[in-house]
Amino acid sequence: MKTNVLMVCLGNICRSPLAEGILQRKVNPEQVFVDSAGTGGYHIGKAPDPRSIAVARKYGLHIENQQCRQFQKSDFQKFDVIYAMDLSNFNNILKLAETPEDENKVKLLLTEVDLPVIEVPDPYYDDNGFEKVYQLIDTACTAIAKKL
Ligand code: 4NP
């Protein structure tokens, strides 16, 4: 059976579009479906941030066709694993959980790897943060793809 994985950040324009594209490239699309969403609704319908598009392109990855959407309660039914980029996203997703089963699906992305940080930092106000964000997400997605 297919595993459905959802990547979640705040805006769904910087971090989670990268996580969606990076994990997608590392898995067999017949076995794993990857999507992304934001806990906030500020950018619904928009393409990813140009800075995320640029860092992805640097590594040969095209994410510009993605479209921002907001996380919904129904995502708990659709997805097997929900990865939050930071603790704020993690807590906001958990607030929408209705059952222990829902709660168990929510994980902090960087807990999949042994790193000195547990959050993917929000790069929205840091033009220089996108490379670091890419590397953190890439490391975590390599571990996830191996496990799936
Ligand atoms: P993201 O970054 O959560 O990685 O997509 C952000 C994007 C937009 C905003 C904050 C963070 N914003 O405040 O509009």
Side-chain angles (χ1 to χ4, degrees):
M1 223 182 60
K2 217 167 187 172
T3 305
N4 297 312
V5 179
L6 184 64
M7 299 296 195
V8 182
C9 61
L10 171 59
N12 190 213
I13 55 166
C14 297
R15 292 166 290 179
S16 58
L18 281 171
E20 176 186 332
I22 290 169
L23 184 61
Q24 237 161 30
R25 186 160 68 174
K26 293 180 191 286
V27 296
N28 179 342
E30 283 173 16
Q31 290 169 354
V32 184
F33 171 71
V34 190
D35 192 16
S36 67
T39 56
Y42 324 108
H43 303 281
I44 293 170
K46 284 199 213 158
D49 187 285
R51 296 166 296 177
S52 283
I53 292 174
V55 76
R57 194 171 292 160
K58 180 178 158 191
Y59 294 101
L61 189 65
H62 288 271
I63 63 165
E64 55 268 28
N65 293 331
Q66 291 183 31
Q67 206 178 41
C68 172
R69 74 168 180 92
Q70 191 167 18
F71 181 83
Q72 299 176 320
K73 269 188 185 178
S74 58
D75 286 320
F76 284 113
Q77 272 75 61
K78 288 187 198 144
F79 292 91
D80 303 295
V81 194
I82 298 166
Y83 283 116
M85 297 298 123
D86 67 29
L87 280 166
S88 164
N89 313 145
F90 181 82
N91 290 322
N92 285 327
I93 299 164
L94 279 184
K95 279 183 204 157
L96 298 172
E98 284 174 338
T99 65
E101 199 190 352
D102 289 351
E103 287 175 4
N104 287 338
K105 292 182 176 184
V106 190
K107 295 178 182 185
L108 206 49
L109 182 78
L110 295 187
T111 57
E112 293 290 357
V113 279
D114 191 14
L115 291 174
V117 286
I118 58 162
E119 300 185 283
V120 180
D122 180 350
Y124 193 58
Y125 296 105
D126 176 15
D127 288 347
N128 298 316
F130 285 78
E131 176 67 33
K132 178 76 183 165
V133 161
Y134 185 97
Q135 296 304 337
L136 286 171
I137 293 172
D138 188 63
T139 302
C141 287
T142 298
I144 293 166
K146 245 182 227 165
K147 235 176 54 166
L148 283 171

